[in-house]
Every structure is written in structure tokens, then in C-alpha cells.
């Protein structure tokens, strides 16, 4: 049987990081008894997986600077309109249009929406290598801005999706009121996921990420038909 992209990514990751078996199984979809635990922090509804059989949660922490796997295996970097302005300034472009012409590609791809529906996305993506073509979109390559110490050359004006990772977020229109939701992306590329009996350990992370996720999602120009905006890395 052919290996899935996630399986391949996890195998690569396991060469350098110890991933708990329960987390491996969960990421590979082998845990079926999973429920959606929701925590609201600063206006963001976080969806945390709760493993019923194990009676515990799938949580996350970042190992940077010891890890920069997300930048090493970057799939695509969709930019919001504020990303375009900030990053073009950082790269010393006088005109955003010149930046768009030289440093970005237009990409169209399909991804799963928050309701499990299929959503077609068309976005301006930052090139991850100088000679990147539209056909390279979605492939996992080392981002050109990552330096040998693991620092991002664009920081602090790196794309919003880089700040968000490994969260993805979406905007829900609930009877005319905007609600921001966030959940983890499980691509098999991040060693930061771990199993815990209590979700207390995530409190500080959720507090730190909530404001950023809220602002990013409310300002994001990623919109789709059913009144959803869906953002991910
Ligand atoms: S988000 Fe995950 S992959 Fe990226 S640096 Fe942190 S631990 Fe590593
Ligand atoms: S822009 Fe920076 S943070 Fe984003 S993938 Fe590239 S190196 Fe990593």
C-alpha cells in the first residue's frame, strides 16, 4: 500500500525526534475515539483533541530553536493583504506590485474546510525558493529565509501563517456575528505534540496565540463561499 504524505512526514520526523506512540497513532488516524474539546480564550474557540480511551488531550509546545522543521519542510506560504505590505517593505520594495511580481506566485489548491467540505483556494504565495514555479506549490522544501542558526530572515515581518503554525484558524459567521475558531494542523512535520491528562499545560500557549490568531483571522482576506474564511499553513 502506498504511504500517505503524513506517514512519510512522520517517518522523517521520527529520525530526529521521539514521537509518543499514542501521538503517532492519533496523527495517522488510528484513534477513532476522539472528541472535540473546546476552550474559549480571548475570543478564540480552540478545538483540542480529547482521546476518550486514554482519557487525555493532544497538546502542543514549540521546540524552537532546537527545531525548525516547519521552515525546513515548508509546503506553501499564502499571504494576506497586510503580509504583502509588511513583507514588501522588509524586502525594500518601493511598490507592492513589484514585490508581488518578483517574490510571489499565484497558486490554486484544494483543502478541507472546517466543516469537512472541500474548499478551492486561490492565493498569492510567497516564493520559498528564488526560482519557485507555480508547479512547486504544495511541495515540501526548505524556505529560503531560514538561516543556518534556525532563524527567519524575515522576522519580525514573516508571514502570518508562520506565526500561526501549527494552528489553523477559520472564521464562522454565526447569525451575523463573526466567531474565530482555531485547531491544530497534523501534517506529521511538527514534533511538538504530546499527550497529557490535563489541558492546563496549554494555558500559556493558548493565551499567547489567541490574540495573534484573532487579529490574523479577522483581517485575513481568505474567504470562500459559505461565509467561511479558512487559513492554514
Ligand atoms: S512549530 Fe513544530 S515544527 Fe515548527 S519549530 Fe515549533 S516544534 Fe518545530
Ligand atoms: S518565512 Fe520564515 S518563518 Fe516562514 S517558513 Fe520561511 S523561514 Fe520559516
Amino acid at each position: 500500500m502506498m504511504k500517505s504524505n503524513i506517514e512519510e512526514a512522520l517517518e522523517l520526523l521520527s529520525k530526529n525526534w521521539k514521537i509518543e506512540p499514542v501521538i503517532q497513532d492519533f496523527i495517522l488516524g488510528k484513534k477513532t475515539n476522539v472528541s472535540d474539546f473546546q476552550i474559549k480564550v480571548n475570543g478564540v474557540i480552540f478545538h483540542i483533541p480529547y482521546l476518550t480511551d486514554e482519557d487525555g488531550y493532544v497538546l502542543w509546545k514549540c521546540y524552537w530553536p532546537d527545531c525548525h522543521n516547519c521552515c525546513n519542510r515548508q509546503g506553501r506560504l499564502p499571504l494576506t493583504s497586510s503580509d504583502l505590505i509588511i513583507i514588501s517593505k522588509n524586502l525594500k520594495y518601493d511598490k507592492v506590485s513589484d514585490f508581488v511580481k518578483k517574490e510571489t506566485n499565484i497558486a490554486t489548491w484544494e483543502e478541507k474546510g472546517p466543516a469537512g467540505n472541500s474548499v478551492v483556494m486561490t492565493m498569492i504565495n510567497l516564493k520559498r525558493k528564488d526560482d519557485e514555479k507555480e508547479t512547486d506549490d504544495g511541495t515540501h522544501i526548505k524556505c529560503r529565509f531560514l538561516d543556518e542558526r534556525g532563524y527567519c530572515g524575515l522576522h519580525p515581518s514573516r508571514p502570518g501563517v508562520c506565526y500561526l503554525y501549527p494552528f489553523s484558524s477559520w472564521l464562522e459567521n454565526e447569525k451575523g456575528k463573526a466567531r474565530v475558531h482555531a485547531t491544530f494542523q497534523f501534517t506529521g512535520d511538527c514534533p511538538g505534540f504530546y499527550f497529557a491528562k490535563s489541558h492546563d499545560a496549554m494555558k500559556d500557549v493558548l493565551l499567547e496565540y489567541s490574540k495573534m490568531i484573532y487579529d490574523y483571522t479577522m483581517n485575513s482576506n481568505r474567504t470562500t463561499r459559505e461565509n467561511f474564511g479558512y487559513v492554514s499553513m
Side-chain angles (χ1 to χ4, degrees), residues 4-223:
S4 68
N5 291 342
I6 296 179
E7 224 174 327
E8 279 178 8
L10 260 180
E11 261 181 30
L12 264 178
L13 191 69
S14 303
K15 287 185 182 162
N16 297 316
W17 296 90
K18 199 168 161 15
I19 315 294
E20 294 168 83
V22 64
I23 295 294
Q24 293 229 18
D25 285 351
F26 168 74
I27 293 176
L28 292 172
K30 293 180 186 166
K31 293 273 166 212
T32 44
N33 233 342
V34 183
S35 55
D36 176 30
F37 179 76
Q38 300 185 8
I39 315 176
K40 193 170 176 195
V41 184
N42 290 332
V44 179
I45 300 167
F46 286 95
H47 297 255
I48 307 284
Y50 171 73
L51 308 183
T52 313
D53 294 338
E54 289 76 10
D55 184 24
Y57 303 84
V58 177
L59 305 184
W60 170 81
K61 63 174 175 242
C62 187
Y63 287 114
W64 190 87
D66 293 332
C67 172
H68 29 84
N69 207 40
C70 44
C71 307
N72 261 324
R73 280 180 46 81
Q74 181 48 246
R76 62 171 60 93
L77 291 171
L79 302 176
T80 63
S81 41
S82 45
D83 285 334
L84 292 178
I85 295 163
I86 294 167
I87 300 170
S88 65
K89 243 191 216 152
N90 180 326
L91 293 179
K92 310 267 184 289
Y93 280 89
D94 290 333
K95 286 192 204 149
V96 174
S97 55
D98 289 341
F99 163 75
V100 170
K101 215 156 119 192
K102 292 218 169 100
E103 310 278 357
T104 71
N105 278 323
I106 307 282
T108 299
W109 71 97
E110 211 172 302
E111 59 184 54
K112 254 206 175 130
N117 51 327
S118 202
V119 180
V120 175
M121 306 295 308
T122 298
M123 288 287 293
I124 296 175
N125 288 356
L126 184 62
K127 285 182 186 171
R128 298 152 302 148
K129 58 177 182 178
D130 293 329
D131 58 351
E132 184 171 337
K133 306 269 176 312
E134 283 172 36
T135 46
D136 293 321
D137 182 65
T139 53
H140 294 277
I141 55 173
K142 183 175 160 194
C143 176
R144 62 184 158 135
F145 297 108
L146 179 69
D147 73 17
E148 54 297 331
R149 297 165 309 152
Y151 285 80
C152 171
L154 287 181
H155 189 77
S157 61
R158 57 193 166 136
V161 285
C162 299
Y163 279 104
L164 245 65
Y165 188 81
F167 289 98
S168 67
S169 68
W170 69 93
L171 200 57
E172 183 191 6
N173 182 350
E174 203 183 281
K175 293 182 188 134
K177 260 195 169 175
R179 278 208 198 289
V180 176
H181 293 260
T183 189
F184 295 128
Q185 305 176 59
F186 295 103
T187 59
D189 292 313
C190 176
F193 294 106
Y194 64 99
F195 175 80
K197 287 283 182 187
S198 154
H199 53 79
D200 284 355
M202 274 292 286
K203 213 170 133 198
D204 289 345
V205 176
L206 297 183
L207 271 173
E208 185 192 333
Y209 275 76
S210 56
K211 194 177 176 317
M212 196 162 58
I213 290 175
Y214 188 87
D215 291 346
Y216 180 79
T217 313
M218 291 301 269
N219 293 329
S220 173
N221 60 354
R222 293 185 65 172
T223 50

